[in-house]
Amino acid sequence: MTDVTVAIAQIDTCVGDIAGNIDKIVDFAGEAARQGADLVVFPEMTITGYPIEDLALRGSFQRAAEHGLSVVAKRLVEEGHEHLTVILGTLGSLALSDHVQMPRPTNRAVVLSGGSVTAAYDKHHLPNYGVFDEYRIFASGDTTTVITVGGHRIGLAICEDIWQDGGPVKNLEDENIDLLVTLNGSPYEEGKRQQRIDLAAQRAAALGAPLVYANQVGGQDDLVFDGGSFVVGPSGAVLARAPKFEEHLLLWTLTDSPHEDHTGDVTEFTDLDEEVYTALVTGLQGYVRKNGFTSVVLGLSGGIDSALVAAIAADALGGENVYGVSMPSNYSSQHSQDDAADLAQRIGAHYRVQHIAPMVDAFQSQLNLEGVAEENLQARVRGMTLMALSNSEGHLVLATGNKTELAVGYSTIYGDAVGGYAPIKDVDKSRVWQLSRWRNTVAVDRGDIPPIPESSITKPPSAELRPGQVDQDSLPPYDLLDQVLDAHIEHEEGREELLARGFAPEIVDKVVSLVDRAEWKRRQYPLGPKVTALAFGRDRRVPVTSRWREPNH
Amino acid sequence: MTDVTVAIAQIDTCVGDIAGNIDKIVDFAGEAARQGADLVVFPEMTITGYPIEDLALRGSFQRAAEHGLSVVAKRLVEEGHEHLTVILGTLGSLALSDHVQMPRPTNRAVVLSGGSVTAAYDKHHLPNYGVFDEYRIFASGDTTTVITVGGHRIGLAICEDIWQDGGPVKNLEDENIDLLVTLNGSPYEEGKRQQRIDLAAQRAAALGAPLVYANQVGGQDDLVFDGGSFVVGPSGAVLARAPKFEEHLLLWTLTDSPHEDHTGDVTEFTDLDEEVYTALVTGLQGYVRKNGFTSVVLGLSGGIDSALVAAIAADALGGENVYGVSMPSNYSSQHSQDDAADLAQRIGAHYRVQHIAPMVDAFQSQLNLEGVAEENLQARVRGMTLMALSNSEGHLVLATGNKTELAVGYSTIYGDAVGGYAPIKDVDKSRVWQLSRWRNTVAVDRGDIPPIPESSITKPPSAELRPGQVDQDSLPPYDLLDQVLDAHIEHEEGREELLARGFAPEIVDKVVSLVDRAEWKRRQYPLGPKVTALAFGRDRRVPVTSRWREPNH
């Protein structure tokens, strides 16, 4: 047996952009070869991008993926890499399995060598919970695949295969393998970085062989893939690890007598605030770029939410691609407008002021709205203004709502909910403050100007839809509210469990009923109602950022 | 063996409204008993409503369903029906099966008799395609259940179980049963009515026993259940059939020597236009009522789309609960406004005129929009006006877009796409005309005033967003366009297949690129972007019309 240098190509694919993905695969394979790699491992579904949802079911897309694989094989040879073994992911051919009522493609790992496909493995365990619905679109594989490279026996698995007991990874325990290679499309979750390594170490121990974990990176639709690819040995030692949230080529060598020394670079983890903030930047960047936009527009209220979103956008796209609009009403305070202008200057964003009174007055002279209808009117005039600027100048609109206010329904449909991307939709108010402070501290540490005005962080939050209104008039304190919401929404705790935790009954009842009502209101006004009275023509589930277009002239 | 009178209780349940569903179950069971029934069969998931999507995963909901079953059992006895056998659907207890990565409830049929559960059957085949995602939420059953009533052996199955080969229905072939009872939540699809009967007849023939098909009825979220419950004999004869689109109690008697005579009422099928129109009325009615609204508001342009929607709404809710708003711009013709007023009068709807010029001018004085941005502005001022009326007067907003214009992107996000329900979203333009003519003809036949003004049907369609604009300036003729769209969208045909059908290349390319762009634009601006950068707090999939609320004080 000879030493085998393994390169993990941690790349950012784009769903449906088969040509672009192929270029990236060939580039990274070439660079790996130049650096002496014998084997290159790509993430899950490399040629097609991931997750492809119902695109998997389109005949034209299946054919394009099949053709794409032959293009990759040909180009690798043309560029002189016929001796390189390349493992990548793509759609497999149609098959039936226990889980599918009609033929479905498989989620496949393909081994390319010398210009042809020398082996293939079809994902066995298909995740079908949370953000995953893979039973809908894939047939399951039922075989175990072992390839030989430089005399080493290498087993293959795809993502969920290592998260579930049994199946191919269990079968490989009897195959005396020297290495397990896994292709992954594992989205970022708080706390998951260590969980992945612990799990991989457990599988490596059972197999008595190191495990290569190649993960996708980049924002794709509603998911952020964090990369952080690694190699873990059977004793649990991390032998190599790539940075998170960036493309990377990680090299590590499989030797005849594997030892537990670090044989590759091991990137250290960052602190949690940095990790979460970078996830938000990565998600925004991917969504904007993969949708073909270069700039964003958002309302700057002077408050903390829009300030954090603007800072994230400036970090993702550069301040020159961020267009901030202050849209004061008669209820907006001067200090809010000052804070908005200050923020824009700090991050180098474009800035303009558009008073909403002329439009609000025009509606009011016709409709005489009061109460919530009047508050919503203000929010909707702002939403329309942003959409008008989007239509005329080509920016993507960002919605600035945070998770707490969306959860309790402090948001206006077709108003501040307007937008193609909501960067902090999944960040609660407590964390909005925390991340804002963290981002400012980092700037100070670097000798930069802190992006977020101090007064946006310290002043009491207000929607400024009525004179003197502040959020705490009608909501529990945010630190308490966020604790109850976390237990109720993330941990699915009902009233009984919440009371058992010691939350006061009046707080629990208030929060639970706000969330119920907000969930219902949000579902009630879907954009493009999903009604299919005739049960045909149902909306396909296709990632927003898919670049797939039907073949055309 | 004694004769067994079977009652099929074809009811309209509401997702999450456990108390309401229980009342209905007890009412129908009581009525069945009064009419001499020995056995009452309800549709799938009767206690919880169907489909419940991710509600199935909530502990508090599971507990409420379990409690609900005991309430039904108790009330049936209290009301003197202890001798009645009742078969209904609900959530089963948590289980593991091949399809699920963690414990899930089953989709269960429960047999109640004498105040207790005497048997249960868990759905084996879980549909996981199209509108169904049952692998996500249910564990599969793996047993066959046969009960005995009046000496007859009766097998149980649930919906998809008869659509797939193998499994429990196949197993029952060896069980010498006298009857197969199936509980269904089978949504309406064009052409499915005969398909269901043919399939049921095939299963009945294989079993050598009649098959009882109890189906749900009513609009639920984005689905319309058409009822049409029936009994089919082993020779394929329809022995009884309930009407479609209405609640009904259908009686039929299982005798010792089953014969193929019609032993119950057999409702004839209606013509297809009536069926589709009634499906649209049923869907709208269910959505409005189950969401707690009593009235709707919509823009009346004088065109055919809004006219048909208004007619459907008036048939569903009564004209007095329909609020039409004419919102003319400077480009709106007088005849359009006349047609809108005429329509409202014909259907007995409320009617008002709200000129949009004051609001459009206010925006334009500030923003100076041109081209598409200006066209969108008009549509958005209308959308905001309708939402303002919704907020201040409490009506649900209806969107009036048809399937053809949505498919090709002739729709403004946050403009005419505004609405909680879009009754004709799944009806192409050709069919909009056809249904409008059909509805008018029915009115004439009945001696009523035809609801839709003749000139709305005959004039060339126009969005009236520019002077003299008509749809056909920029689109192929609608009859041709709808044919291409049907092949491309419904039958997933790509460019090659469309050309092979003989469509001209320039038409195919135009339609395919319009659809691609429209799909992308629609996905790009989701309401409440579904971004979950931290991959926690993802939106649950819960039916819009769910009445489930977390237990509270």
Side-chain angles (χ1 to χ4, degrees):
Chain A
M1 294 196 284
T2 58
D3 288 359
V4 173
T5 297
V6 181
I8 300 180
Q10 174 174 299
I11 65 172
D12 181 3
T13 55
C14 177
V15 164
D17 184 13
I18 293 178
N21 295 338
I22 288 174
D23 286 345
K24 196 167 275 187
I25 290 166
V26 173
D27 283 354
F28 270 75
E31 180 58 27
R34 278 184 291 281
Q35 294 191 27
D38 304 296
L39 171 65
V40 193
V41 182
F42 285 92
E44 187 172 3
M45 297 290 283
T46 337
I47 289 178
T48 55
Y50 179 83
I52 55 173
E53 303 193 43
D54 285 6
L55 277 179
L57 308 179
R58 288 200 194 181
S60 52
F61 185 76
Q62 293 162 0
R63 292 191 293 273
E66 191 181 348
H67 177 68
L69 180 61
S70 66
V71 171
V72 172
K74 188 156 157 274
R75 284 184 53 188
L76 287 171
V77 172
E78 282 169 3
E79 303 197 7
H81 309 309
E82 62 271 25
H83 299 301
L84 192 65
T85 300
V86 174
I87 306 179
L88 49 73
T90 188
L91 273 181
S93 38
L94 294 179
L96 275 168
S97 71
D98 283 349
H99 310 112
V100 291
Q101 278 105 359
M102 45 212 87
R104 295 284 185 245
T106 59
N107 177 328
R108 179 169 288 184
V110 166
V111 182
L112 289 176
S113 183
S116 60
V117 175
T118 56
Y121 166 77
D122 293 319
K123 189 176 185 178
H124 177 97
H125 288 296
L126 301 171
N128 204 63
Y129 50 82
V131 298
F132 305 108
D133 290 288
E134 298 203 354
Y135 286 153
R136 180 180 172 89
I137 55 169
F138 294 131
S140 252
D142 57 3
T143 56
T144 307
T145 301
V146 177
I147 62 170
T148 306
V149 180
H152 296 273
R153 290 174 59 75
I154 300 177
L156 300 184
I158 300 177
C159 209
E160 188 77 5
D161 287 331
I162 68 166
W163 292 83
Q164 303 297 327
D165 293 329
V169 177
K170 180 74 185 164
N171 295 343
L172 286 170
E173 289 179 19
D174 304 324
E175 290 286 340
N176 194 30
I177 59 172
D178 303 306
L179 181 70
L180 178 64
V181 160
T182 68
L183 288 68
N184 301 272
S186 177
Y188 176 65
E189 276 183 51
E190 219 181 328
K192 202 175 174 185
R193 63 188 188 188
Q194 192 57 45
Q195 204 187 346
R196 278 188 202 130
I197 291 174
D198 293 346
L199 178 78
Q202 183 191 325
R203 301 301 179 196
L207 293 162
L211 185 153
V212 163
Y213 188 99
N215 195 20
Q216 173 175 347
V217 73
Q220 179 72 57
D221 221 71
D222 55 345
L223 299 176
V224 177
F225 295 91
D226 53 330
S229 302
F230 62 86
V231 185
V232 67
S235 76
V238 175
L239 307 178
R241 186 164 59 215
K244 289 167 82 83
F245 303 112
E246 57 187 73
E247 293 193 316
H248 190 79
L249 191 69
L250 178 71
L251 277 87
W252 169 81
T253 300
L254 172 67
T255 61
D256 205 0
S257 52
H259 51 82
E260 294 286 324
D261 295 330
H262 290 187
T263 58
D265 295 332
V266 177
T267 307
E268 292 302 315
F269 288 141
T270 60
D271 79 53
L272 193 60
D273 285 332
E274 178 171 352
E275 183 180 289
V276 169
Y277 188 88
T278 312
L280 299 174
V281 170
T282 303
L284 171 60
Q285 203 169 44
Y287 193 90
V288 171
R289 183 173 56 78
K290 292 179 184 177
N291 266 309
F293 287 90
T294 53
S295 57
V296 294
V297 62
L298 74 164
L300 297 181
S301 69
I304 185 71
D305 296 325
S306 58
L308 178 62
V309 170
I312 291 167
D315 285 335
L317 309 169
E320 70 279 12
N321 292 312
V322 177
Y323 290 77
V325 188
S326 166
M327 294 177 283
S329 73
N330 299 334
Y331 306 133
S332 301
S333 59
Q334 186 56 47
H335 72 81
S336 291
Q337 296 172 58
D338 295 344
D339 288 343
D342 183 17
L343 166 78
Q345 192 172 34
R346 286 164 179 265
I347 63 172
H350 303 267
Y351 180 72
R352 78 188 95 180
V353 178
Q354 176 57 61
H355 289 272
I356 62 168
M359 290 82 99
V360 170
D361 292 349
F363 274 99
Q364 283 295 56
S365 71
Q366 301 291 315
L367 300 169
N368 292 308
L369 303 172
E370 293 173 355
V372 170
E374 192 208 345
E375 294 186 22
N376 285 343
L377 173 64
Q378 298 173 56
R380 290 187 180 129
V381 166
R382 292 188 174 114
M384 276 190 68
T385 301
L386 294 175
M387 284 306 294
L389 296 173
S390 170
N391 286 157
S392 56
E393 300 176 8
H395 322 299
L396 182 75
V397 177
L398 299 184
T400 60
N402 67 62
K403 182 178 189 163
T404 307
E405 69 186 22
L406 291 171
V408 298
Y410 278 41
S411 173
T412 299
I413 291 160
Y414 311 126
D416 54 294
V418 159
Y421 194 81
I424 59 170
K425 187 192 172 193
D426 205 17
V427 178
D428 69 22
K429 190 81 179 186
S430 305
R431 199 196 283 262
V432 166
W433 276 304
Q434 187 180 326
L435 291 177
S436 298
R437 291 199 187 92
W438 172 84
R439 182 63 186 81
N440 274 3
T441 305
V442 167
V444 170
D445 290 350
R446 289 181 193 152
D448 294 340
I449 298 167
I452 300 173
E454 191 58 25
S455 65
S456 292
I457 299 179
T458 52
K459 71 184 169 192
S462 166
E464 296 194 332
L465 291 169
R466 289 191 302 272
Q469 180 186 34
V470 295
D471 296 5
Q472 241 61 88
D473 293 344
S474 50
L475 286 176
Y478 275 116
D479 53 350
L480 175 60
L481 176 59
D482 285 340
Q483 287 176 48
V484 180
L485 287 173
D486 185 64
H488 181 48
I489 296 184
E490 298 313 320
H491 301 285
E492 306 234 334
E493 295 186 6
R495 188 168 186 278
E496 286 167 42
E497 292 99 326
L498 294 171
L499 293 177
R501 274 184 187 251
F503 293 123
E506 62 276 17
I507 297 285
V508 169
D509 286 343
K510 164 131 191 149
V511 173
V512 165
S513 66
L514 282 171
V515 168
D516 259 358
R517 185 166 172 79
E519 272 197 18
W520 174 65
K521 293 295 281 186
R522 246 195 329 272
R523 287 183 273 116
Q524 201 177 43
Y525 274 91
L527 175 74
K530 60 174 184 161
V531 172
T532 57
L534 306 189
F536 73 119
R538 52 192 74 88
D539 279 349
R540 283 175 188 71
R541 298 194 192 152
V542 174
V544 178
T545 48
S546 164
R547 291 240 170 161
W548 172 249
R549 301 288 177 267
E550 279 297 325
N552 210 323
H553 267 320
Chain B
M1 291 197 286
T2 57
D3 288 359
V4 173
T5 296
V6 181
I8 301 180
Q10 174 175 297
I11 64 172
D12 180 4
T13 55
C14 177
V15 164
D17 184 13
I18 293 177
N21 295 337
I22 288 175
D23 285 344
K24 196 168 276 189
I25 290 166
V26 173
D27 283 354
F28 271 75
E31 180 57 29
R34 277 185 291 280
Q35 295 192 25
D38 304 295
L39 170 65
V40 193
V41 183
F42 285 92
E44 187 172 2
M45 297 289 282
T46 337
I47 288 177
T48 57
Y50 179 85
I52 54 172
E53 304 193 41
D54 285 6
L55 278 179
L57 309 178
R58 290 199 194 181
S60 50
F61 185 75
Q62 293 162 0
R63 292 192 294 272
E66 192 182 345
H67 177 68
L69 179 62
S70 66
V71 171
V72 172
K74 187 155 157 276
R75 283 184 52 188
L76 287 172
V77 172
E78 282 169 3
E79 303 199 7
H81 309 309
E82 61 270 26
H83 300 301
L84 193 65
T85 301
V86 174
I87 306 180
L88 49 72
T90 189
L91 274 179
S93 38
L94 293 179
L96 276 168
S97 71
D98 285 349
H99 311 112
V100 291
Q101 278 105 1
M102 44 213 86
R104 296 281 184 247
T106 58
N107 178 328
R108 179 168 288 182
V110 166
V111 182
L112 289 176
S113 182
S116 60
V117 174
T118 56
Y121 165 78
D122 293 319
K123 189 176 184 178
H124 178 98
H125 288 296
L126 302 170
N128 203 62
Y129 50 83
V131 298
F132 305 107
D133 290 288
E134 298 202 354
Y135 285 153
R136 179 180 173 87
I137 54 169
F138 294 131
S140 253
D142 57 2
T143 55
T144 308
T145 303
V146 177
I147 62 170
T148 304
V149 179
H152 298 271
R153 288 174 59 75
I154 300 177
L156 300 184
I158 300 177
C159 210
E160 188 77 5
D161 288 329
I162 68 165
W163 291 84
Q164 304 294 328
D165 292 329
V169 177
K170 179 75 186 164
N171 295 344
L172 286 170
E173 288 178 20
D174 304 324
E175 291 286 341
N176 193 30
I177 59 172
D178 303 306
L179 180 70
L180 178 65
V181 160
T182 69
L183 287 67
N184 302 272
S186 178
Y188 177 65
E189 276 182 50
E190 218 182 327
K192 202 174 175 186
R193 63 187 188 187
Q194 192 56 46
Q195 204 187 346
R196 277 187 202 132
I197 290 175
D198 293 346
L199 178 78
Q202 183 191 324
R203 301 302 179 197
L207 293 162
L211 186 153
V212 163
Y213 187 99
N215 196 20
Q216 173 174 347
V217 72
Q220 179 71 57
D221 221 69
D222 56 344
L223 299 176
V224 177
F225 295 90
D226 53 330
S229 303
F230 60 87
V231 185
V232 67
S235 76
V238 175
L239 308 178
R241 186 163 60 213
K244 291 167 81 84
F245 304 113
E246 57 188 75
E247 294 193 315
H248 189 79
L249 191 69
L250 179 70
L251 277 87
W252 169 81
T253 300
L254 172 67
T255 60
D256 205 0
S257 53
H259 50 84
E260 294 286 325
D261 294 329
H262 291 186
T263 58
D265 295 332
V266 177
T267 307
E268 291 304 313
F269 288 142
T270 61
D271 80 54
L272 193 59
D273 286 331
E274 178 171 352
E275 183 181 289
V276 169
Y277 188 89
T278 312
L280 298 173
V281 170
T282 303
L284 170 60
Q285 202 169 45
Y287 193 91
V288 171
R289 183 173 56 79
K290 292 179 183 176
N291 266 307
F293 287 90
T294 53
S295 57
V296 294
V297 62
L298 75 163
L300 298 181
S301 70
I304 185 72
D305 296 325
S306 57
L308 179 61
V309 170
I312 291 167
D315 285 336
L317 309 169
E320 70 280 13
N321 292 312
V322 178
Y323 291 76
V325 189
S326 167
M327 294 177 282
S329 74
N330 299 333
Y331 307 132
S332 301
S333 59
Q334 186 56 46
H335 71 80
S336 291
Q337 296 172 57
D338 295 344
D339 288 342
D342 184 16
L343 166 77
Q345 193 172 31
R346 285 164 180 262
I347 63 174
H350 304 266
Y351 180 72
R352 76 188 98 181
V353 178
Q354 177 56 61
H355 289 272
I356 62 169
M359 291 83 100
V360 171
D361 293 347
F363 274 99
Q364 282 297 57
S365 71
Q366 301 291 316
L367 300 169
N368 291 308
L369 304 172
E370 293 173 355
V372 171
E374 192 208 345
E375 294 186 23
N376 285 343
L377 173 64
Q378 297 173 57
R380 289 186 181 129
V381 166
R382 291 189 175 114
M384 277 189 65
T385 301
L386 294 175
M387 285 305 293
L389 295 174
S390 171
N391 287 156
S392 56
E393 300 176 8
H395 323 299
L396 181 74
V397 177
L398 299 183
T400 61
N402 67 63
K403 181 177 190 166
T404 306
E405 70 186 24
L406 291 171
V408 299
Y410 278 41
S411 173
T412 298
I413 291 160
Y414 310 127
D416 54 295
V418 159
Y421 193 81
I424 59 170
K425 187 191 172 195
D426 204 17
V427 178
D428 68 23
K429 190 80 178 187
S430 305
R431 199 196 284 262
V432 167
W433 275 305
Q434 187 181 325
L435 291 177
S436 298
R437 289 200 190 92
W438 172 84
R439 182 63 186 80
N440 273 4
T441 304
V442 167
V444 170
D445 290 350
R446 288 183 194 151
D448 294 340
I449 299 167
I452 299 173
E454 190 58 25
S455 65
S456 293
I457 301 179
T458 52
K459 70 184 168 191
S462 166
E464 295 193 332
L465 291 169
R466 289 191 303 274
Q469 182 184 33
V470 294
D471 296 6
Q472 240 61 90
D473 294 345
S474 51
L475 286 177
Y478 275 116
D479 52 349
L480 175 60
L481 176 59
D482 285 340
Q483 287 177 48
V484 180
L485 287 173
D486 185 65
H488 181 49
I489 297 183
E490 297 314 318
H491 301 285
E492 305 235 332
E493 295 187 7
R495 188 169 184 277
E496 287 167 42
E497 292 98 327
L498 294 171
L499 293 177
R501 274 185 188 251
F503 293 123
E506 62 275 16
I507 298 285
V508 169
D509 286 344
K510 166 131 192 148
V511 173
V512 164
S513 65
L514 282 171
V515 168
D516 259 358
R517 185 165 173 78
E519 271 197 18
W520 174 64
K521 294 294 282 185
R522 246 197 326 273
R523 285 183 275 116
Q524 201 177 45
Y525 274 92
L527 174 74
K530 60 172 186 164
V531 172
T532 58
L534 306 188
F536 74 118
R538 53 193 74 88
D539 279 348
R540 282 174 187 74
R541 297 193 194 150
V542 174
V544 178
T545 46
S546 163
R547 291 242 170 160
W548 172 248
R549 302 288 178 268
E550 280 296 327
N552 210 325
H553 267 321

